[in-house]
Coordinates of all heavy atoms in Angstrom, one line a residue:
S1 N 106.7 102.7 110.1 CA 105.9 101.5 109.7 C 105.7 101.6 108.2 O 105.9 102.6 107.6 CB 104.6 101.4 110.5 OG 103.8 102.5 110.2
G2 N 105.3 100.4 107.6 CA 105.0 100.4 106.2 C 106.0 99.7 105.3 O 105.7 99.6 104.1
G3 N 107.1 99.4 105.8 CA 108.1 98.7 105.0 C 107.7 97.4 104.5 O 106.7 96.8 105.1
G4 N 108.4 96.8 103.5 CA 108.0 95.5 103.0 C 108.7 95.2 101.7 O 109.6 95.9 101.3
L5 N 108.2 94.2 101.0 CA 108.8 93.7 99.8 C 107.9 94.1 98.6 O 106.6 93.9 98.7 CB 108.9 92.2 99.8 CG 109.3 91.5 98.5 CD1 110.8 91.9 98.1 CD2 109.2 90.0 98.6
V6 N 108.4 94.8 97.6 CA 107.7 95.2 96.5 C 108.5 94.9 95.2 O 109.7 94.8 95.2 CB 107.3 96.7 96.5 CG1 106.3 97.0 97.6 CG2 108.6 97.6 96.7
Q7 N 107.8 94.8 94.1 CA 108.4 94.7 92.8 C 108.9 96.0 92.2 O 108.3 97.0 92.5 CB 107.5 94.0 91.8 CG 107.1 92.6 92.1 CD 108.1 91.6 91.7 OE1 109.1 91.9 91.0 NE2 107.9 90.3 92.1
A8 N 109.9 96.0 91.4 CA 110.4 97.2 90.8 C 109.2 97.8 90.0 O 108.5 97.1 89.3 CB 111.6 96.9 89.9
G9 N 109.1 99.1 90.1 CA 108.1 99.9 89.4 C 106.8 100.0 90.2 O 105.9 100.8 89.8
E10 N 106.7 99.3 91.3 CA 105.5 99.4 92.1 C 105.6 100.5 93.2 O 106.6 101.3 93.2 CB 105.2 98.1 92.8 CG 104.8 97.0 91.8 CD 104.5 95.7 92.4 OE1 104.8 95.5 93.6 OE2 103.9 94.8 91.7
S11 N 104.7 100.6 94.1 CA 104.6 101.7 95.0 C 104.5 101.2 96.5 O 104.1 100.1 96.7 CB 103.4 102.6 94.8 OG 103.5 103.3 93.5
L12 N 105.0 102.0 97.4 CA 104.9 101.7 98.8 C 104.8 103.0 99.6 O 105.3 104.0 99.2 CB 106.2 101.0 99.2 CG 106.3 100.3 100.6 CD1 105.4 99.1 100.6 CD2 107.7 99.9 100.9
R13 N 104.1 103.0 100.7 CA 104.0 104.1 101.6 C 104.5 103.8 103.0 O 104.0 102.9 103.6 CB 102.6 104.7 101.6 CG 102.5 106.0 102.3 CD 101.1 106.6 102.4 NE 100.3 105.9 103.4 CZ 99.2 106.4 104.0 NH1 98.7 107.5 103.5 NH2 98.5 105.7 104.9
L14 N 105.4 104.6 103.4 CA 106.0 104.5 104.8 C 105.3 105.6 105.6 O 105.0 106.7 105.2 CB 107.5 104.7 104.8 CG 108.3 103.9 103.9 CD1 109.8 104.2 104.1 CD2 108.0 102.4 104.1
S15 N 105.1 105.3 106.9 CA 104.5 106.2 107.9 C 105.4 106.4 109.0 O 106.2 105.5 109.4 CB 103.2 105.7 108.4 OG 102.2 105.5 107.3
C16 N 105.4 107.5 109.7 CA 106.2 107.8 110.8 C 105.4 108.7 111.8 O 104.7 109.7 111.3 CB 107.5 108.5 110.5 SG 108.5 109.1 111.9
T17 N 105.4 108.4 113.1 CA 104.8 109.2 114.1 C 105.8 109.6 115.1 O 106.6 108.8 115.6 CB 103.6 108.4 114.8 OG1 102.7 108.0 113.8 CG2 103.0 109.2 115.8
A18 N 105.8 110.9 115.4 CA 106.6 111.5 116.5 C 105.6 112.0 117.6 O 104.7 112.8 117.3 CB 107.5 112.6 116.0
S19 N 105.8 111.6 118.8 CA 104.9 112.0 119.9 C 105.6 112.3 121.1 O 106.8 111.9 121.3 CB 103.8 110.9 120.1 OG 104.5 109.7 120.5
G20 N 105.0 113.0 122.1 CA 105.6 113.2 123.4 C 105.7 114.7 123.8 O 105.9 115.0 125.0
L21 N 105.6 115.6 122.8 CA 105.7 117.0 123.1 C 104.5 117.8 122.3 O 104.0 117.2 121.3 CB 107.0 117.6 122.7 CG 108.2 117.2 123.5 CD1 109.5 117.8 122.9 CD2 108.1 117.6 125.0
T22 N 104.2 119.0 122.8 CA 103.2 119.7 122.1 C 103.6 120.5 120.9 O 102.8 120.9 120.1 CB 102.5 120.7 123.1 OG1 103.5 121.6 123.6 CG2 101.8 120.0 124.3
F23 N 105.0 120.7 120.8 CA 105.5 121.4 119.6 C 105.4 120.5 118.4 O 105.5 119.3 118.5 CB 107.0 121.8 119.9 CG 107.2 122.8 120.9 CD1 107.6 122.4 122.2 CD2 106.9 124.1 120.7 CE1 107.8 123.4 123.2 CE2 107.1 125.1 121.7 CZ 107.6 124.7 122.9
D24 N 105.3 121.2 117.2 CA 105.4 120.5 116.0 C 106.9 120.2 115.7 O 107.7 120.9 116.2 CB 104.8 121.3 114.8 CG 103.3 121.3 114.9 OD1 102.7 120.3 115.2 OD2 102.7 122.4 114.6
Y25 N 107.1 119.2 114.9 CA 108.5 118.8 114.6 C 108.8 118.9 113.1 O 108.0 118.6 112.3 CB 108.7 117.3 115.1 CG 108.5 117.1 116.5 CD1 107.4 116.3 116.9 CD2 109.3 117.6 117.5 CE1 107.1 116.1 118.2 CE2 109.1 117.3 118.8 CZ 108.0 116.6 119.2 OH 107.8 116.3 120.5
A26 N 110.0 119.3 112.9 CA 110.6 119.1 111.5 C 110.9 117.6 111.5 O 111.4 117.0 112.5 CB 111.9 119.9 111.3
M27 N 110.6 117.0 110.3 CA 110.8 115.5 110.3 C 111.5 115.2 108.9 O 111.4 115.9 107.9 CB 109.5 114.8 110.3 CG 108.7 115.1 111.6 SD 107.1 114.3 111.7 CE 107.6 112.6 112.1
G28 N 112.3 114.1 109.0 CA 113.0 113.7 107.8 C 113.1 112.2 107.7 O 113.0 111.4 108.7
W29 N 113.3 111.7 106.4 CA 113.5 110.3 106.1 C 115.0 110.2 105.7 O 115.5 110.9 104.9 CB 112.6 109.8 105.0 CG 111.2 109.6 105.4 CD1 110.1 110.4 105.2 CD2 110.6 108.5 106.1 NE1 109.0 109.9 105.7 CE2 109.3 108.7 106.3 CE3 111.2 107.3 106.7 CZ2 108.4 107.8 106.9 CZ3 110.4 106.4 107.3 CH2 109.0 106.7 107.4
F30 N 115.6 109.2 106.3 CA 117.0 108.8 105.9 C 116.9 107.3 105.6 O 116.0 106.6 106.0 CB 117.9 109.1 107.0 CG 118.0 110.5 107.4 CD1 117.1 111.1 108.2 CD2 119.1 111.3 106.9 CE1 117.1 112.5 108.5 CE2 119.1 112.7 107.3 CZ 118.2 113.2 108.1
R31 N 117.9 106.9 104.8 CA 118.0 105.4 104.5 C 119.5 105.0 104.5 O 120.4 105.8 104.3 CB 117.4 105.1 103.2 CG 118.1 105.6 102.0 CD 117.3 105.3 100.7 NE 118.0 105.8 99.5 CZ 117.5 105.7 98.3 NH1 116.3 105.2 98.1 NH2 118.2 106.2 97.2
Q32 N 119.6 103.7 104.8 CA 121.0 103.1 104.8 C 120.9 101.9 103.8 O 120.2 100.9 104.0 CB 121.4 102.6 106.1 CG 122.8 102.1 106.2 CD 123.3 101.9 107.6 OE1 122.5 101.8 108.5 NE2 124.6 101.8 107.8
L33 N 121.6 102.1 102.6 CA 121.6 101.1 101.6 C 122.7 100.1 102.0 O 123.7 100.4 102.7 CB 121.9 101.7 100.2 CG 120.9 102.9 99.8 CD1 121.3 103.4 98.5 CD2 119.5 102.4 99.9
P34 N 122.6 98.9 101.5 CA 123.6 97.8 101.8 C 125.0 98.3 101.5 O 125.3 98.7 100.4 CB 123.2 96.7 100.9 CG 121.7 96.8 100.7 CD 121.5 98.3 100.6
G35 N 125.9 98.2 102.5 CA 127.3 98.6 102.3 C 127.6 100.1 102.2 O 128.7 100.4 102.0
K36 N 126.6 100.9 102.5 CA 126.8 102.3 102.4 C 126.4 103.0 103.7 O 125.7 102.5 104.6 CB 125.9 102.9 101.2 CG 126.4 102.4 99.9 CD 125.6 103.0 98.8 CE 126.0 102.5 97.4 NZ 125.2 103.2 96.3
E37 N 126.8 104.3 103.8 CA 126.5 105.1 105.0 C 125.0 105.6 104.9 O 124.5 105.7 103.8 CB 127.4 106.3 105.1 CG 128.9 105.9 105.4 CD 129.0 105.2 106.7 OE1 128.4 105.7 107.7 OE2 129.8 104.2 106.8
R38 N 124.5 106.0 106.0 CA 123.2 106.6 106.0 C 123.1 107.8 105.2 O 124.0 108.7 105.3 CB 122.7 106.8 107.5 CG 121.3 107.3 107.6 CD 121.0 107.6 109.1 NE 121.1 106.3 109.9 CZ 120.9 106.3 111.2 NH1 120.7 107.4 111.9 NH2 121.0 105.1 111.8
E39 N 122.1 108.0 104.4 CA 121.9 109.2 103.6 C 120.5 109.8 103.7 O 119.6 109.1 104.0 CB 122.2 108.8 102.1 CG 121.2 107.9 101.5 CD 121.5 107.5 100.1 OE1 122.7 107.6 99.7 OE2 120.6 107.1 99.4
A40 N 120.4 111.1 103.5 CA 119.2 111.8 103.5 C 118.3 111.4 102.3 O 118.8 111.4 101.2 CB 119.4 113.3 103.6
V41 N 117.1 111.2 102.5 CA 116.1 110.9 101.4 C 115.2 112.1 101.2 O 115.1 112.6 100.0 CB 115.3 109.7 101.8 CG1 114.2 109.4 100.7 CG2 116.2 108.5 102.0
A42 N 114.6 112.6 102.2 CA 113.7 113.7 102.1 C 113.4 114.3 103.5 O 113.6 113.6 104.5 CB 112.3 113.3 101.5
C43 N 113.0 115.6 103.6 CA 112.6 116.1 104.8 C 111.4 117.1 104.6 O 111.2 117.6 103.5 CB 113.8 116.8 105.6 SG 114.3 118.4 104.9
V44 N 110.7 117.4 105.7 CA 109.6 118.4 105.7 C 109.7 119.3 106.9 O 110.0 118.8 108.0 CB 108.3 117.6 105.6 CG1 108.1 116.7 106.7 CG2 107.1 118.6 105.5
S45 N 109.5 120.6 106.7 CA 109.5 121.5 107.8 C 108.4 121.3 108.8 O 107.4 120.5 108.5 CB 109.4 122.9 107.3 OG 108.2 123.2 106.7

């Protein structure tokens, strides 16, 4: 959640929730730019 329209130079915060198991999860953000393949943005252990 948290996507939207912003002006260049401004800020935005995206949120993600993973649920369903008691284990902690490694999590990552990926993005797909127009006309391009999905690429890794960032990840956290």
Side-chain angles (χ1 to χ4, degrees):
S1 63
L5 174 65
V6 292
Q7 295 279 352
E10 296 182 345
S11 297
L12 192 70
R13 189 180 76 163
L14 307 181
S15 300
C16 173
T17 300
S19 61
L21 294 175
T22 58
F23 293 104
D24 289 323
Y25 302 110
M27 303 178 76
W29 287 102
F30 299 80
R31 69 184 183 185
Q32 188 168 15
L33 307 181
K36 297 183 179 180
E37 297 294 319
R38 184 181 297 176
E39 64 183 24
V41 177
C43 76
V44 58
S45 64

